[in-house]
Each structure stands twice: as C-alpha cells, then as structure tokens.
Amino acid sequence: MSATATPRPGLLARLADPAGWRAGTHELVFALKTTAGGLLALYIAFRLGLESPYWVLPTSFIVANPFAAAMRSKSTYRLVGTGVGGVMAVVLVPNLVDAPVLLSLALAAWIGLCLYLALLERSPRSYMFMLGGYTVGIIGFQAIGQPQGVFDIALARVEEIALGIGCTTLVGGIVLPRPYGPVVQARLEEWTKPALDWALHALSGTEPSSAALYALRDRLTGEAVEIGMMIPHLSYETAAWARFAGEVNELRQAVLSMVPVLSALGDRAWQLKRLGGMTPELAAGLEDAASWMRAGQAATRAQAGRLMARVKALEEAEPARDWAGVLRASLLARLRDLIGLVEYERALRRHIFKGEPMLPRHAIHLGALTKPVKASDHGLALFSSLGAAFTLLLLCGFWILSGWPGGAGAALMATIACCFFAALDDPTVGMRGMLQYSVVSVVAVALYGFVLLPRVENFEQLALVLTPYLLLAASLAARPATMSAGMVLGANGCTLMALQNHYAGDFAAFANAALGMVGGIGAAILITRIIRQAGVDWIVRRLLHQTWKDIATATSRPQDRAHFAGRLLDRLGLLLPRLKAAAPNTGALGVNVLRDVRNGLNALVLARELGGLPLPVRLLVGKVQERVARHYREAPAQAPEPGLRVALDAALAALAHVPHDQVTREVTMALVGLRFAFYPEAAPPLALEETGP
C-alpha cells in the first residue's frame, strides 16, 4: 500500500498560520519582533539626537505583546498616560520646586489619585491611569535640578516614548501579526462548556451540592473576570473584529447571567425528584430542553421557539396550589429564563462568528439578562493608593534628608512597584519577583557597561552586542510563566543601561542607580508588608460583607434588576477564586454565596412588586422583607432564625388564597426561592400540603 506525500508548507506559510505554529515558534517570532522594534527605535533616537534615547528600549518591552490588538491598545494607553503625566509634571515642579516637602506631598497625592482610579477601572485601561501617575515622578525627579527646563524634559520624554511605541507597534503590526480575535473566540468556546455541563446536570435533577457542580460554578464565574479583561483589546483588532467588541461583551454577559438561573433550576429539579412531584409532562419537557442544549449551534431558531411555547403551555396549565405545584411553576419560570439566555447567546454567536443577522432583543425572552457592572471596592482602592503615596513620601523624605544621589531613583522604583502590584491580594509576592530579576539585571548591565560596551565603536556593533540580551528578555516575556522576569530584565535592565550616543562609563553613577533600583523595590516590600498585613482573608471578608449589605438594601429599595444582578455576579467572580486560597474558617463563610446572590434577586422582586399586592398579603410579605434584611445585616454567615421560616410560610399561605395574576405569581416564585435557599431540607409549608403529580 502506498500513499502520496503531502507537500510541506513553507516556513513563512507555517509562521503566518497560527493554527500551525509549533511549540516555541511564536515566542521566537515575538522576541525577534520586539528586539527589532527596540533597536530600530534606538537607532532613530540616536540619529535624532534625543536627550535620553535609552528610554525607547524599555518602552518597546513594556508595550510589546504577542497579539497585535493588545499591543495597539497598550501603546495607546501608555502614550495618553505619559502625556497626562507630563502635563502634570509641568504644572507641579516649577511651582513647588523650592518647597520640597510640598512637592513631595503633591506628587504623592497625584500618584495616589491615579492609582485609585486605576484600581477602580479593572480593565486594560487602568494602565493609562497608573502611568499618568508615576510618569510625574519620572519627569519631576529629573527636572528638580533644572525646573526651568521641565517642559523640555517632559516633551523629550513623550517624544522618546512615542518613538518606542511607534517602532514596536509598526514592526509588530507588519511582520507576521498575530490576530487576537480567534484567541478570544477559542477562549469563549472553552469557557462556555461548563455552562452546558451545568445545564445538563440541572435539568436531570442532580444533587445540587456535589463537588462537580461546585467546580463548574467556580470555573464559569472565575474565568468571566479574565475574559472581561480580554474583550477591550478587540476594539483595537482588525475592523472585522473591532465592530463586534460590544456584541462579544454581550455574549459574555449572557453566559454569566445563566449562573443564578442554573443554580435555581437545579435546586427545583432536585427537590421535585426528592418529593416525587415531577409530572410526566414536566419530565418530558426537561428532557427535550436537555436535547436542545446538547444540539448546540445545530439547533434551529424554530426549535427554540417550539420549546419556549411548550414551557409556557406547561406554566399556564400548572395551578400551583400545593407545594409540588409551586415548585413546578418555579422550575418552569427558571427554565424559560434559561432558554431565553441560551437562545440569545447562540444568536450572538451566529451574528459574530458567522455574520448572520441578529435577532431583535424583543423577540427573545431576556428577563434574566444582567448588565456588565463592575463591583467597585472604593475602600480597598483608597487603602492601596494611600499605601503607595505613603511609600513615596517616606522615600522622598529619606532622599531629602540624606542627599543621596540615588534617592530619587529609589523613590521612583518603590512607587512603580507599589502601583504595578497594588491589585494583588499580596503585593509583596510580585514585588519579590521584581526584586530578584532586578538584581539579575544589575549584574547583566554591569557586564555590559564595563566589559562589552567600552569596545563598541558604532551602532552596528552595539546592535550585535545587545541582541542576545534583548532576545533573551523578550523570549521570557512571551511566556505567561516567565513574563514578569522578561519584563523586568527588558524594562529595568535597559533603563539602568542608560545608553547614549557615546559611551560614558561612570561606575559611581551606575552604582547609585543600581542601589536606588534595588533599594527602592526592597523598601516597597518592607513598607507594604507593614501596611498591608491583611491578605486574601481580609479581602474575602470585605467582598462577602459588601454582598450581604447589597442584599439587605435590596429588600426595601427597588432597583434595576439587570444592574443589581450584574454587580452581584461581578463580585461573585472576584470572590470564588479567592475562597480556595483563604483560610478554612474564612472560606466557610462564603460556601453559600451563590445562594445569597439568588436571595438578593428574590428580595428585589419582593421590593418591586410589593405595592401590587392586596393589603393583608402585603403586610405578611413586608415581615419577610424585614427578617431577610435583619439576617443579612446581623448574622449572614449563620443559620437563619426560625421566625423567617414562619414569616415565609405565612406569606405563601396567604398568596395561595388570592386570585393569581402576574404580580402574585412573581411574588410567589420569589418566596419559594427564599424558602428553599434558606431551608432546603425543611418540610413543605403546612398550608401547601405535599402532594404527588
């Protein structure tokens, strides 16, 4: 038997096709492009006679990214941040240079404000705010000796950074650019698999507290935060992708909105199976829904319409006069929400990835869709920004009192370290890595500065000598596991090298700069360790208390459901990954946090619909609201008091004897959700006797 050999694609064809890249190839291509962009910028800076041409090299490393869109977005943010910081330096330095204490206070206040805004932003755009902060220090400290020239220094810095950005972006965007859209698409495909698995478990009535379901929940909510950080880069992708950035974000939100729906649906199905209250018609409907879910994109819109019509028919036929009937009605309501979200998610996929016309929103049931809201922690952001400002003030004080030439560099590096790692639960972990690689870069720069560079006579030789170091740093920066090492070696090392048009080896200046860099980062670690003794446990408790506070408020204050749910789900995505790293006693506090989210949504329904109830029922529902609010204000981590169950049963009994309309049905579903969440093992309410199908 013979076979015809398939011609092997050429090297350029293999490099240009991301699907055919072999392991390590894209890192090498990225390293070559970053090195070429940096050297091109350095050559032009030398030719133009810029004041500090060496700044183009660290800029090349900072903005370089394996994906063209991410590189363009970061370049934009860096350029804008540098410009804003330069303007602020021109405003502050000439006016306060004769009052070093006031100048230090002004710099610390500005940097703290910018870091505060960056921490609240929680997106790639946060880099713009952060850079606008510490750029004031980069320019301001250099201009203190010549305040009258601060405008020229700021302008030169903007020119140098713009040149580094331009060359790196040009090379990265022209030479084998790696598209970002397919990466986001693949990540979305992988991320949505847990939603399908969870849906199939829920529809089958699987035990809702199983470890497998917890793992699916944690992955779905935790990775939503990471995907949310990827989506803004799409605006800088090619036009075919950039115009769909909003739709991709909407797709993410549709999947994330399924979390409370799937949780409630699974609870109802499990409870009905346990009570023997699953009717043959409902079981068949759930099986049809599962088959529709498994079909994925192969399912037609007509099938979704027929399934939705069947669920509505089952809802209309369900009298919901006993406990099993109420549970069936609640399950059907959540099933309708799930079908609408899945249909919307599939329609978005077909629109984005296949170019099909988008269904109008009014044609899809989107009652459970949430908005992409960020749960901002102003207290934590303020605390972190004050820590960075305090660190800068301490080192500025040391610099002023000691007169050490390297004091400015120490203050600046400490500030940069505080800013870069402020978002971490323990910033000192990242700072220690930065310190280690900075020490390595000091050794490498010493070798270059006093052994290799003295022998360089022209730019060609300089490029030849620098290439191994730049390639090594860029190769490390290309891999997520070693990215921090590559960035520190590339950015800090090239800054410390301080290349000029001519060789100017000055060991004293080098030693001061190296000690300032290492000492500043070391001081940042020490001060941060003292100031931020609380770690992940403290943050977990803050997130939980903020969630509980929002739920308590929702019991009496009607809010936009989509906005409220979006905020709770965003905070849930921040919380669940941290629960695994928290101490056991802290992690135990959040074991029912998804139940709490559902309780918040049900409490919101009561607040919204309370005015439409008959007065006697309204008073009973009001007592439920009071007890739910008291629970989340006083003892949210403890078992609910028996009085809450009594109030829930009384309200449900009263609702069973009034004419049913849309308002009473919504309130009944909310009360059922609260009762099941708070008392999952309790017997049915006495007024709603447990009956079979």
Side-chain angles (χ1 to χ4, degrees), residues 33-385:
K33 292 195 295 184
T34 303
T35 300
L39 291 176
L40 174 62
L42 184 63
Y43 174 77
I44 296 174
F46 282 162
R47 294 285 294 181
L48 295 177
L50 297 184
E51 179 183 346
S52 301
Y54 62 88
W55 272 105
V56 300
L57 280 178
T59 297
S60 296
F61 274 89
I62 291 171
V63 303
N65 192 286
F67 301 101
M71 180 171 56
R72 285 191 285 267
S73 68
K74 193 170 186 179
S75 297
T76 302
Y77 303 144
R78 181 168 178 81
L79 190 59
V80 173
T82 301
V84 172
V87 170
M88 200 63 190
V90 172
V91 171
L92 293 178
V93 174
N95 294 302
L96 299 175
V97 68
D98 294 327
V101 175
L102 287 178
L103 178 58
S104 299
L105 287 170
L107 292 175
W110 172 254
I111 291 171
L113 173 63
C114 290
L115 180 58
Y116 172 77
L117 296 175
L119 292 173
L120 292 181
E121 173 61 29
R122 279 180 47 217
S123 80
R125 286 183 293 272
S126 63
Y127 180 64
M128 177 176 61
F129 294 103
M130 183 168 51
L131 192 67
Y134 67 71
T135 295
V136 173
I138 294 175
I139 296 173
F141 290 152
Q142 184 180 350
I144 284 178
Q146 44 179 333
Q148 69 283 356
V150 65
F151 178 80
D152 294 332
I153 294 173
L155 181 60
R157 186 68 65 251
V158 173
E159 290 174 345
E160 292 149 7
I161 288 176
L163 178 59
I165 289 173
C167 291
T168 304
T169 306
L170 179 67
V171 174
I174 293 178
V175 181
L176 300 175
R178 193 176 180 193
Y180 193 65
V183 175
V184 175
Q185 180 179 356
R187 184 67 186 274
L188 285 170
E189 294 286 352
E190 188 65 25
W191 173 58
T192 53
K193 289 179 181 178
L196 173 60
D197 294 339
W198 191 357
L200 295 177
H201 277 87
L203 292 169
S204 65
T206 303
E207 164 65 46
S209 60
S210 66
L213 288 183
Y214 280 142
L216 293 173
R217 176 202 69 177
D218 293 352
R219 181 179 170 191
L220 193 62
T221 54
E223 292 186 11
V225 177
E226 301 173 18
I227 292 174
M229 293 290 287
M230 298 173 67
I231 292 174
H233 294 308
L234 282 178
S235 299
Y236 296 83
E237 183 61 288
T238 57
W241 279 99
R243 64 192 180 96
F244 287 123
E247 285 84 350
V248 173
N249 194 44
E250 191 75 3
L251 191 154
R252 168 190 173 271
Q253 202 62 33
V255 177
L256 186 59
S257 300
M258 297 178 194
V259 171
V261 175
L262 289 171
S263 177
L265 178 66
D267 282 352
R268 305 297 185 277
W270 173 72
Q271 180 79 333
L272 280 169
K273 287 183 67 175
R274 192 169 67 91
L275 295 176
M278 186 74 71
T279 64
E281 295 81 8
L282 179 58
L286 294 179
E287 181 55 40
D288 287 348
S291 299
W292 178 73
M293 291 290 297
R294 293 189 194 95
Q297 290 296 327
T300 65
R301 292 172 179 172
Q303 289 174 319
R306 288 194 294 270
L307 183 60
M308 183 66 81
R310 181 172 183 179
V311 171
K312 289 180 179 179
L314 288 172
E315 279 190 287
E316 293 171 357
E318 178 55 63
R321 293 297 183 182
D322 56 36
W323 184 238
V326 169
L327 288 178
R328 286 193 294 270
S330 178
L331 184 151
L332 289 166
R334 300 291 79 80
L335 180 57
R336 186 158 44 88
D337 289 338
L338 177 63
I339 294 171
L341 289 172
V342 173
E343 184 183 9
Y344 186 50
E345 180 258 348
R346 289 177 178 175
L348 283 167
R349 284 183 183 277
R350 288 190 288 264
H351 177 58
I352 297 168
F353 305 133
K354 296 182 179 180
E356 296 184 13
M358 183 60 196
L359 283 176
R361 288 172 65 104
H362 63 79
I364 307 175
H365 173 69
L366 296 177
L369 183 65
T370 64
K371 293 180 180 178
V373 181
K374 293 176 183 175
S376 301
D377 189 340
H378 292 270
L380 180 58
L382 180 62
F383 181 64
S384 300
S385 59

Side-chain angles (χ1 to χ4, degrees), residues 10 84 89 252 386 608 663 681:
V84 172
R252 168 190 173 271
L386 288 176
R608 186 186 68 224
V663 172
E681 301 293 339

Side-chain angles (χ1 to χ4, degrees), residues 657-671:
H657 296 91
V658 299
H660 270 214
D661 55 18
Q662 183 62 28
V663 172
T664 56
R665 193 176 187 87
E666 289 287 336
V667 173
T668 300
M669 297 302 101
L671 291 172

